[in-house]
Amino acid sequence: LAKTTQPISMDSYEGQEVNITCSHNNIATNDYITWYQQFPSQGPRFIIQGYKTKVTNEVASLFIPADRKSSTLSLPRVSLSDTAVYYCLVESAGYSTLTFGKGTMLLVSP
Amino acid sequence: EAGVTQFPSHSVIEKGQTVTLRCDPISGHDNLYWYRRVMGKEIKFLLHFVKESKQDESGMPNNRFLAERTGGTYSTLKVQPAELEDSGVYFCASTKGGNYGYTFGSGTRLTVV
């Protein structure tokens, strides 16, 4: 599976848009990108998944360029409750095990 | 819909003792996974059940760990005897099929002293 690289931490203020970029240079043709969010004392929570271009749901948007070697998770107008660790994962179709990296610790301040 | 439930939320045991963790997946989810994060490390896969069968147990660290899922409903993960390096947070997750949108439990924090 492709290794992912993302920032260790990011700081933001309430109301700002936050973009977290993940590199996955060795992504394979059948791989897709998934982002999870984890709050303290909780398990990871699925946020969004995509293969190419742009995916949007009620929580976030995911931008994937044509070469798919990176992806950007965009959180619009963050609030204090968005403070969490965000994981970028590359998953292979037909292979159900998740491989987590270190994640990005996002701290949202007032 | 009830989520994935794990018991206990926290367990403190002495080295050499036995501990059993339990996971109740979402009803109807055939796939059940165990993961763990030991201190300072990433979350790592332990094993995967499809119904009552072990599909993949390549992540189990050694034979002190035994996972079961009798009847294909809840699962238990027993550590016997526990060692200090087993301390960490053990997560259970379930999916209906494939790997789209895992649902994780809140985890069991195991402390071996």
Side-chain angles (χ1 to χ4, degrees), chain A residues 18-99:
Chain A
V18 171
N19 296 308
I20 306 174
T21 296
C22 176
S23 297
H24 27 78
N25 291 318
N26 297 323
I27 192 167
T29 303
N30 292 335
D31 292 344
Y32 46 98
I33 299 115
T34 309
W35 286 79
Y36 280 79
Q37 173 192 57
Q38 185 178 24
F39 298 114
S41 300
Q42 293 188 26
R45 181 177 77 105
F46 172 87
I47 302 177
I48 197 165
Q49 185 179 78
Y51 183 80
K52 61 180 179 181
T53 63
K54 177 183 174 182
V55 179
T56 297
N57 61 23
E58 65 278 5
V59 176
S61 294
L62 178 60
F63 299 92
I64 305 168
D67 66 6
R68 304 201 323 122
K69 292 184 184 298
S70 67
S71 59
T72 299
L73 176 73
S74 181
L75 304 172
R77 296 179 298 283
V78 294
S79 63
L80 297 179
S81 61
D82 291 316
T83 292
V85 178
Y86 292 83
Y87 295 97
C88 164
L89 287 78
V90 170
E91 299 185 56
S92 292
Y95 184 68
S96 62
T97 300
L98 300 181
T99 301

Coordinates of all heavy atoms in Angstrom, one line a residue, chain A residues 18-99:
Chain A
V18 N -9.8 25.2 6.7 CA -8.6 24.5 6.9 C -8.4 23.5 5.8 O -9.3 22.7 5.5 CB -8.6 23.8 8.3 CG1 -7.4 22.8 8.4 CG2 -8.6 24.8 9.4
N19 N -7.2 23.5 5.3 CA -6.8 22.5 4.2 C -5.7 21.7 4.7 O -4.6 22.2 5.0 CB -6.5 23.2 2.9 CG -7.6 24.0 2.3 OD1 -8.7 23.4 2.2 ND2 -7.4 25.3 2.1
I20 N -5.8 20.4 4.7 CA -4.8 19.5 5.1 C -4.4 18.6 3.9 O -5.3 17.9 3.3 CB -5.2 18.5 6.3 CG1 -5.8 19.3 7.4 CG2 -4.1 17.6 6.7 CD1 -6.4 18.5 8.6
T21 N -3.1 18.7 3.5 CA -2.7 18.0 2.3 C -1.9 16.8 2.7 O -1.1 16.8 3.6 CB -1.8 18.9 1.5 OG1 -2.6 20.0 1.0 CG2 -1.3 18.2 0.3
C22 N -2.2 15.7 2.0 CA -1.5 14.4 2.2 C -0.8 14.0 0.9 O -1.4 14.1 -0.2 CB -2.6 13.4 2.6 SG -2.0 11.7 2.8
S23 N 0.4 13.5 1.0 CA 1.1 13.0 -0.2 C 1.1 11.5 -0.2 O 1.2 10.9 0.9 CB 2.6 13.5 -0.1 OG 2.7 14.9 -0.2
H24 N 0.8 11.0 -1.3 CA 0.8 9.5 -1.5 C 1.4 9.2 -2.9 O 0.6 8.9 -3.8 CB -0.6 8.9 -1.3 CG -1.7 9.8 -1.6 ND1 -2.2 10.1 -2.9 CD2 -2.5 10.5 -0.7 CE1 -3.2 11.0 -2.8 NE2 -3.4 11.2 -1.5
N25 N 2.7 9.4 -3.0 CA 3.3 9.4 -4.4 C 3.2 8.0 -5.0 O 3.3 7.9 -6.3 CB 4.8 9.7 -4.2 CG 5.0 11.2 -3.9 OD1 4.3 12.1 -4.4 ND2 5.9 11.5 -2.9
N26 N 3.1 6.9 -4.3 CA 3.1 5.6 -4.8 C 1.7 5.0 -4.9 O 1.6 3.8 -5.0 CB 4.0 4.7 -4.0 CG 5.5 5.1 -4.0 OD1 6.0 5.6 -5.0 ND2 6.1 5.0 -2.9
I27 N 0.7 5.8 -5.0 CA -0.6 5.3 -5.1 C -0.8 4.5 -6.4 O -0.3 4.9 -7.4 CB -1.7 6.5 -5.0 CG1 -3.1 5.9 -4.8 CG2 -1.6 7.4 -6.2 CD1 -4.1 7.0 -4.4
A28 N -1.5 3.4 -6.2 CA -1.8 2.5 -7.4 C -3.1 2.8 -8.0 O -3.9 3.5 -7.5 CB -1.7 1.0 -6.9
T29 N -3.2 2.3 -9.2 CA -4.4 2.6 -10.0 C -5.7 2.2 -9.3 O -6.7 3.0 -9.4 CB -4.4 1.8 -11.4 OG1 -3.2 2.1 -12.0 CG2 -5.6 2.1 -12.2
N30 N -5.7 1.1 -8.6 CA -7.0 0.7 -7.9 C -7.1 1.2 -6.5 O -8.1 0.9 -5.8 CB -7.0 -0.8 -7.8 CG -7.2 -1.5 -9.2 OD1 -7.7 -0.8 -10.1 ND2 -6.7 -2.7 -9.4
D31 N -6.2 2.1 -6.1 CA -6.3 2.6 -4.7 C -7.2 3.8 -4.7 O -7.3 4.6 -5.7 CB -4.9 3.1 -4.2 CG -4.0 1.9 -4.0 OD1 -4.4 0.8 -3.9 OD2 -2.7 2.2 -3.9
Y32 N -7.8 4.1 -3.5 CA -8.6 5.3 -3.3 C -8.2 5.9 -2.0 O -7.5 5.3 -1.2 CB -10.1 5.0 -3.4 CG -10.6 3.8 -2.7 CD1 -11.1 4.0 -1.4 CD2 -10.5 2.6 -3.2 CE1 -11.6 2.9 -0.7 CE2 -11.0 1.5 -2.5 CZ -11.5 1.6 -1.3 OH -12.0 0.5 -0.6
I33 N -8.6 7.1 -1.8 CA -8.1 7.9 -0.6 C -9.3 8.1 0.4 O -10.4 8.4 0.0 CB -7.6 9.3 -1.1 CG1 -6.4 9.1 -2.0 CG2 -7.2 10.1 0.1 CD1 -6.6 9.5 -3.4
T34 N -9.0 7.9 1.6 CA -10.0 8.0 2.7 C -9.4 8.8 3.8 O -8.2 8.7 4.1 CB -10.4 6.6 3.2 OG1 -10.7 5.7 2.2 CG2 -11.6 6.7 4.2
W35 N -10.3 9.6 4.4 CA -9.9 10.4 5.6 C -10.7 10.1 6.8 O -12.0 9.9 6.6 CB -10.0 11.9 5.3 CG -8.9 12.5 4.4 CD1 -8.9 12.3 3.0 CD2 -7.8 13.2 4.8 NE1 -7.8 13.0 2.5 CE2 -7.1 13.5 3.6 CE3 -7.3 13.7 6.0 CZ2 -5.9 14.3 3.6 CZ3 -6.1 14.4 6.0 CH2 -5.4 14.7 4.8
Y36 N -10.1 10.0 7.9 CA -10.7 9.7 9.2 C -10.4 10.8 10.1 O -9.3 11.4 10.1 CB -10.3 8.3 9.8 CG -10.9 7.1 9.2 CD1 -10.5 6.6 7.9 CD2 -12.0 6.5 9.8 CE1 -11.1 5.5 7.4 CE2 -12.6 5.4 9.3 CZ -12.2 4.9 8.0 OH -12.8 3.8 7.5
Q37 N -11.3 11.0 11.1 CA -11.1 12.0 12.2 C -11.2 11.3 13.5 O -12.0 10.3 13.7 CB -12.3 13.0 12.1 CG -12.4 14.0 13.2 CD -13.8 14.7 13.1 OE1 -14.8 14.1 13.1 NE2 -13.8 16.0 13.0
Q38 N -10.3 11.6 14.4 CA -10.3 11.0 15.7 C -10.3 12.0 16.8 O -9.3 12.8 16.9 CB -9.2 10.0 15.9 CG -9.2 9.2 17.2 CD -8.1 8.2 17.3 OE1 -7.1 8.3 16.7 NE2 -8.3 7.2 18.1
F39 N -11.3 12.0 17.7 CA -11.3 12.8 18.9 C -10.6 12.0 20.1 O -10.6 10.8 20.0 CB -12.7 13.2 19.3 CG -13.4 14.0 18.3 CD1 -14.5 13.5 17.6 CD2 -13.0 15.3 17.9 CE1 -15.2 14.2 16.6 CE2 -13.7 16.0 17.0 CZ -14.7 15.5 16.3
P40 N -10.1 12.7 21.1 CA -9.5 12.0 22.2 C -10.5 11.1 22.8 O -11.7 11.3 22.9 CB -9.2 13.2 23.2 CG -9.1 14.4 22.3 CD -10.0 14.2 21.2
S41 N -10.0 9.9 23.2 CA -10.8 8.9 23.9 C -11.9 8.3 23.0 O -12.9 7.7 23.5 CB -11.5 9.4 25.2 OG -10.4 9.8 26.1
Q42 N -11.8 8.5 21.7 CA -12.7 7.9 20.8 C -12.0 7.2 19.6 O -10.8 7.4 19.4 CB -13.7 8.9 20.1 CG -14.6 9.6 21.2 CD -15.6 10.4 20.5 OE1 -16.0 10.3 19.3 NE2 -16.2 11.4 21.2
G43 N -12.7 6.3 18.9 CA -12.1 5.6 17.8 C -12.2 6.5 16.6 O -12.9 7.5 16.5
P44 N -11.4 6.2 15.5 CA -11.4 7.0 14.3 C -12.8 7.0 13.7 O -13.6 6.0 13.8 CB -10.4 6.3 13.4 CG -9.5 5.6 14.3 CD -10.4 5.2 15.5
R45 N -13.2 8.1 13.1 CA -14.5 8.2 12.4 C -14.3 8.6 11.0 O -13.6 9.5 10.6 CB -15.3 9.3 13.1 CG -16.7 9.5 12.6 CD -17.5 10.6 13.4 NE -17.1 11.9 13.1 CZ -17.8 12.8 12.4 NH1 -19.0 12.4 11.9 NH2 -17.4 14.0 12.2
F46 N -15.0 7.8 10.1 CA -14.9 8.1 8.7 C -15.4 9.4 8.3 O -16.5 9.9 8.8 CB -15.7 7.0 7.9 CG -15.9 7.2 6.5 CD1 -15.0 6.8 5.6 CD2 -17.0 7.9 6.0 CE1 -15.1 6.9 4.2 CE2 -17.2 8.1 4.6 CZ -16.2 7.6 3.7
I47 N -14.7 10.2 7.5 CA -15.1 11.5 7.1 C -15.5 11.5 5.6 O -16.6 11.9 5.2 CB -14.0 12.6 7.2 CG1 -13.6 12.7 8.6 CG2 -14.6 13.9 6.7 CD1 -12.4 13.7 8.8
I48 N -14.6 11.1 4.7 CA -14.8 11.2 3.3 C -13.9 10.3 2.6 O -12.8 9.9 3.1 CB -14.6 12.7 2.9 CG1 -15.2 13.0 1.5 CG2 -13.1 13.1 2.9 CD1 -15.4 14.5 1.2
Q49 N -14.3 9.9 1.4 CA -13.5 9.0 0.5 C -13.6 9.5 -0.9 O -14.7 9.9 -1.3 CB -14.0 7.6 0.7 CG -13.2 6.5 0.0 CD -13.8 5.2 0.3 OE1 -14.8 4.8 -0.3 NE2 -13.2 4.5 1.2
G50 N -12.5 9.3 -1.7 CA -12.6 9.7 -3.1 C -11.6 9.0 -3.9 O -10.6 8.4 -3.4
Y51 N -11.7 9.0 -5.2 CA -10.8 8.4 -6.1 C -10.1 9.4 -7.0 O -8.9 9.4 -7.2 CB -11.5 7.4 -7.0 CG -10.6 6.7 -8.0 CD1 -9.8 5.6 -7.5 CD2 -10.4 7.1 -9.3 CE1 -9.0 4.9 -8.4 CE2 -9.6 6.4 -10.2 CZ -8.8 5.3 -9.7 OH -8.0 4.7 -10.5
K52 N -10.8 10.4 -7.5 CA -10.2 11.5 -8.3 C -11.1 12.7 -8.2 O -12.3 12.6 -7.8 CB -9.9 11.0 -9.7 CG -11.2 10.7 -10.5 CD -10.8 10.2 -11.9 CE -12.0 9.8 -12.7 NZ -11.7 9.4 -14.1
T53 N -10.6 13.8 -8.7 CA -11.3 15.1 -8.8 C -11.8 15.6 -7.4 O -11.0 15.7 -6.5 CB -12.4 15.1 -9.8 OG1 -13.4 14.2 -9.4 CG2 -11.8 14.7 -11.2
K54 N -13.0 15.8 -7.3 CA -13.5 16.4 -6.0 C -14.7 15.7 -5.5 O -15.6 15.3 -6.3 CB -13.9 17.9 -6.3 CG -14.5 18.6 -5.1 CD -14.9 20.0 -5.5 CE -15.7 20.7 -4.3 NZ -16.1 22.0 -4.6
V55 N -14.7 15.5 -4.2 CA -15.9 14.9 -3.5 C -16.3 15.8 -2.4 O -15.4 16.3 -1.7 CB -15.5 13.5 -2.9 CG1 -16.7 12.9 -2.2 CG2 -15.0 12.6 -4.0
T56 N -17.5 16.0 -2.2 CA -18.0 16.9 -1.1 C -19.2 16.2 -0.4 O -20.0 15.6 -1.0 CB -18.5 18.2 -1.7 OG1 -17.4 18.9 -2.3 CG2 -19.0 19.1 -0.6
N57 N -19.1 16.3 0.9 CA -20.3 15.9 1.7 C -20.6 16.9 2.8 O -20.1 18.1 2.7 CB -20.0 14.5 2.4 CG -18.9 14.5 3.3 OD1 -18.4 15.5 3.9 ND2 -18.3 13.3 3.5
E58 N -21.4 16.6 3.7 CA -21.9 17.6 4.7 C -20.8 18.0 5.7 O -20.9 19.0 6.4 CB -23.1 17.1 5.4 CG -22.8 15.9 6.3 CD -22.9 14.6 5.6 OE1 -23.0 14.6 4.3 OE2 -22.8 13.6 6.2
V59 N -19.7 17.3 5.7 CA -18.6 17.5 6.7 C -17.4 18.2 6.0 O -16.8 19.1 6.6 CB -18.2 16.2 7.3 CG1 -17.0 16.5 8.2 CG2 -19.3 15.6 8.1
A60 N -17.0 17.7 4.8 CA -15.8 18.2 4.2 C -15.8 18.0 2.7 O -16.7 17.5 2.2 CB -14.6 17.4 4.8
S61 N -14.7 18.6 2.1 CA -14.5 18.3 0.7 C -13.1 17.7 0.5 O -12.2 17.9 1.4 CB -14.5 19.6 -0.1 OG -15.8 20.2 -0.1
L62 N -13.0 16.9 -0.5 CA -11.7 16.2 -0.8 C -11.4 16.5 -2.2 O -12.1 16.2 -3.1 CB -11.9 14.7 -0.6 CG -10.7 13.8 -0.9 CD1 -9.5 14.2 0.0 CD2 -11.0 12.3 -0.6
F63 N -10.2 17.1 -2.4 CA -9.7 17.4 -3.7 C -8.5 16.5 -4.1 O -7.6 16.4 -3.3 CB -9.2 18.9 -3.7 CG -10.3 19.9 -3.4 CD1 -10.5 20.3 -2.1 CD2 -11.1 20.4 -4.4 CE1 -11.5 21.2 -1.8 CE2 -12.1 21.3 -4.1 CZ -12.3 21.7 -2.8
I64 N -8.6 15.9 -5.2 CA -7.6 15.0 -5.7 C -7.2 15.4 -7.1 O -8.0 15.4 -8.0 CB -8.1 13.5 -5.7 CG1 -8.7 13.1 -4.3 CG2 -7.0 12.5 -6.1 CD1 -9.5 11.9 -4.3
P65 N -5.9 15.8 -7.3 CA -5.5 16.2 -8.6 C -5.4 15.0 -9.6 O -5.5 13.9 -9.2 CB -4.1 16.8 -8.4 CG -3.6 16.1 -7.1 CD -4.8 15.9 -6.3
A66 N -5.2 15.3 -10.8 CA -5.2 14.3 -11.9 C -4.2 13.2 -11.7 O -4.5 12.1 -11.9 CB -5.0 15.0 -13.3
D67 N -3.0 13.6 -11.1 CA -2.0 12.6 -11.0 C -2.2 11.7 -9.7 O -1.5 10.7 -9.5 CB -0.6 13.2 -11.0 CG -0.3 14.1 -9.8 OD1 -1.2 14.2 -8.9 OD2 0.7 14.7 -9.7
R68 N -3.1 12.1 -8.9 CA -3.5 11.4 -7.6 C -2.4 11.2 -6.7 O -2.5 10.4 -5.8 CB -4.2 10.1 -8.0 CG -5.4 10.2 -8.9 CD -6.3 9.1 -8.9 NE -5.7 7.8 -8.8 CZ -6.0 6.9 -7.8 NH1 -6.9 7.3 -6.9 NH2 -5.5 5.7 -7.7
K69 N -1.3 11.9 -6.8 CA -0.2 11.7 -5.9 C -0.3 12.5 -4.6 O 0.5 12.4 -3.7 CB 1.1 12.1 -6.6 CG 1.5 11.2 -7.7 CD 2.8 11.6 -8.3 CE 3.2 10.7 -9.5 NZ 3.3 9.3 -9.2
S70 N -1.4 13.3 -4.5 CA -1.7 14.0 -3.2 C -3.2 14.1 -3.2 O -3.9 13.9 -4.1 CB -1.0 15.3 -3.2 OG -1.5 16.2 -4.2
S71 N -3.6 14.5 -2.0 CA -5.0 14.9 -1.8 C -5.1 15.9 -0.7 O -4.2 16.0 0.1 CB -5.9 13.7 -1.5 OG -5.4 13.1 -0.3
T72 N -6.2 16.7 -0.8 CA -6.4 17.8 0.2 C -7.7 17.7 0.8 O -8.8 17.7 0.1 CB -6.2 19.2 -0.4 OG1 -4.9 19.3 -0.9 CG2 -6.4 20.3 0.6
L73 N -7.8 17.6 2.1 CA -9.0 17.6 2.9 C -9.3 19.0 3.3 O -8.5 19.7 3.8 CB -8.9 16.8 4.2 CG -10.1 16.8 5.1 CD1 -11.2 16.0 4.5 CD2 -9.7 16.3 6.5
S74 N -10.5 19.5 2.9 CA -10.9 20.9 3.2 C -12.0 20.9 4.2 O -13.1 20.3 3.9 CB -11.2 21.6 1.9 OG -11.6 23.0 2.2
L75 N -11.8 21.6 5.3 CA -12.8 21.7 6.3 C -13.3 23.2 6.3 O -12.5 24.1 6.6 CB -12.3 21.4 7.7 CG -11.7 20.0 7.8 CD1 -11.0 19.8 9.2 CD2 -12.8 18.9 7.6
P76 N -14.5 23.5 5.9 CA -15.0 24.9 5.8 C -15.4 25.4 7.2 O -16.0 24.7 7.9 CB -16.2 24.8 4.9 CG -16.7 23.4 5.1 CD -15.5 22.5 5.4
R77 N -14.9 26.6 7.5 CA -15.4 27.3 8.7 C -15.3 26.4 9.9 O -16.3 26.0 10.5 CB -16.8 27.9 8.5 CG -16.9 28.9 7.4 CD -18.4 29.4 7.3 NE -19.3 28.3 6.9 CZ -19.4 27.8 5.7 NH1 -18.6 28.3 4.7 NH2 -20.2 26.9 5.4
V78 N -14.1 26.1 10.3 CA -13.9 25.2 11.4 C -14.4 25.8 12.7 O -14.4 27.0 12.9 CB -12.4 24.7 11.6 CG1 -12.0 23.9 10.4 CG2 -11.5 25.9 11.8
S79 N -14.8 24.9 13.7 CA -15.2 25.3 15.0 C -14.3 24.6 16.0 O -13.5 23.8 15.6 CB -16.6 25.0 15.3 OG -16.8 23.6 15.2
L80 N -14.4 25.0 17.3 CA -13.6 24.4 18.3 C -13.7 22.9 18.3 O -12.8 22.1 18.6 CB -13.9 25.0 19.7 CG -13.7 26.4 19.9 CD1 -14.2 26.9 21.3 CD2 -12.3 26.8 19.7
S81 N -14.9 22.4 18.0 CA -15.2 21.0 18.0 C -14.5 20.2 16.9 O -14.6 19.0 16.9 CB -16.7 20.7 18.0 OG -17.3 21.2 16.8
D82 N -13.9 20.9 16.0 CA -13.1 20.2 14.9 C -11.7 19.9 15.3 O -11.0 19.3 14.6 CB -13.1 21.1 13.6 CG -14.5 21.2 13.0 OD1 -15.2 20.2 12.9 OD2 -14.9 22.3 12.6
T83 N -11.3 20.3 16.5 CA -10.0 19.9 17.1 C -10.0 18.4 17.2 O -10.8 17.8 17.9 CB -9.8 20.6 18.4 OG1 -9.7 22.0 18.3 CG2 -8.5 20.1 19.1
A84 N -9.0 17.8 16.5 CA -9.0 16.3 16.4 C -7.7 16.0 15.6 O -7.0 16.8 15.1 CB -10.2 15.8 15.7
V85 N -7.5 14.7 15.5 CA -6.4 14.1 14.7 C -7.1 13.7 13.4 O -8.1 13.0 13.4 CB -5.7 13.0 15.3 CG1 -4.6 12.4 14.4 CG2 -5.0 13.4 16.6
Y86 N -6.5 14.1 12.3 CA -7.0 13.7 10.9 C -6.1 12.8 10.2 O -4.9 13.1 10.1 CB -7.3 15.0 10.1 CG -8.4 15.8 10.7 CD1 -8.2 16.7 11.7 CD2 -9.7 15.6 10.2 CE1 -9.3 17.4 12.3 CE2 -10.8 16.4 10.8 CZ -10.5 17.2 11.8 OH -11.6 17.9 12.4
Y87 N -6.6 11.6 9.8 CA -5.7 10.6 9.2 C -6.1 10.5 7.7 O -7.3 10.4 7.3 CB -6.0 9.2 9.8 CG -5.5 9.1 11.2 CD1 -6.5 9.2 12.3 CD2 -4.2 8.8 11.6 CE1 -6.1 9.1 13.6 CE2 -3.8 8.7 12.9 CZ -4.8 8.8 13.9 OH -4.4 8.7 15.2
C88 N -5.1 10.5 6.9 CA -5.2 10.2 5.5 C -4.8 8.8 5.2 O -3.7 8.4 5.6 CB -4.3 11.2 4.7 SG -4.0 10.8 3.0
L89 N -5.6 8.0 4.6 CA -5.3 6.6 4.3 C -5.5 6.3 2.8 O -6.4 6.9 2.2 CB -6.2 5.7 5.1 CG -6.1 5.5 6.6 CD1 -6.7 6.7 7.3 CD2 -6.7 4.2 7.0
V90 N -4.6 5.5 2.3 CA -4.8 4.9 0.9 C -5.2 3.5 1.1 O -4.6 2.7 1.7 CB -3.4 5.0 0.2 CG1 -3.6 4.3 -1.2 CG2 -3.1 6.5 -0.1
E91 N -6.4 3.2 0.5 CA -6.9 1.9 0.6 C -7.0 1.2 -0.8 O -7.2 1.9 -1.8 CB -8.3 2.0 1.1 CG -8.4 2.6 2.5 CD -9.8 2.5 3.0 OE1 -10.4 1.4 3.1 OE2 -10.4 3.5 3.4
S92 N -6.7 -0.1 -0.8 CA -6.8 -0.8 -2.1 C -8.2 -1.5 -2.2 O -8.6 -2.1 -1.2 CB -5.7 -1.9 -2.1 OG -4.5 -1.3 -2.2
A93 N -8.7 -1.4 -3.4 CA -10.0 -2.1 -3.6 C -9.8 -3.6 -3.4 O -8.9 -4.2 -3.8 CB -10.5 -1.9 -5.0
G94 N -10.7 -4.2 -2.6 CA -10.6 -5.6 -2.3 C -9.7 -6.0 -1.2 O -9.7 -7.2 -0.8
Y95 N -9.1 -5.0 -0.6 CA -8.2 -5.3 0.6 C -8.7 -4.5 1.7 O -8.7 -3.2 1.7 CB -6.8 -4.9 0.3 CG -5.8 -5.3 1.4 CD1 -5.5 -6.6 1.7 CD2 -5.1 -4.2 2.1 CE1 -4.6 -6.9 2.7 CE2 -4.2 -4.5 3.1 CZ -4.0 -5.9 3.4 OH -3.1 -6.1 4.4
S96 N -9.3 -5.1 2.7 CA -10.1 -4.3 3.7 C -9.4 -3.8 4.9 O -10.0 -3.1 5.7 CB -11.3 -5.2 4.1 OG -10.8 -6.3 4.8
T97 N -8.1 -4.1 5.0 CA -7.4 -3.6 6.2 C -6.9 -2.2 6.0 O -6.5 -1.8 5.0 CB -6.1 -4.5 6.4 OG1 -6.6 -5.9 6.6 CG2 -5.4 -4.1 7.7
L98 N -7.1 -1.4 7.1 CA -6.7 0.0 7.1 C -5.3 0.1 7.6 O -4.9 -0.5 8.6 CB -7.6 0.8 8.0 CG -9.1 0.8 7.6 CD1 -9.9 1.8 8.5 CD2 -9.3 1.3 6.2
T99 N -4.5 1.0 6.9 CA -3.1 1.3 7.4 C -3.1 2.8 7.8 O -3.2 3.7 6.9 CB -2.1 1.0 6.3 OG1 -2.2 -0.4 5.9 CG2 -0.7 1.3 6.7

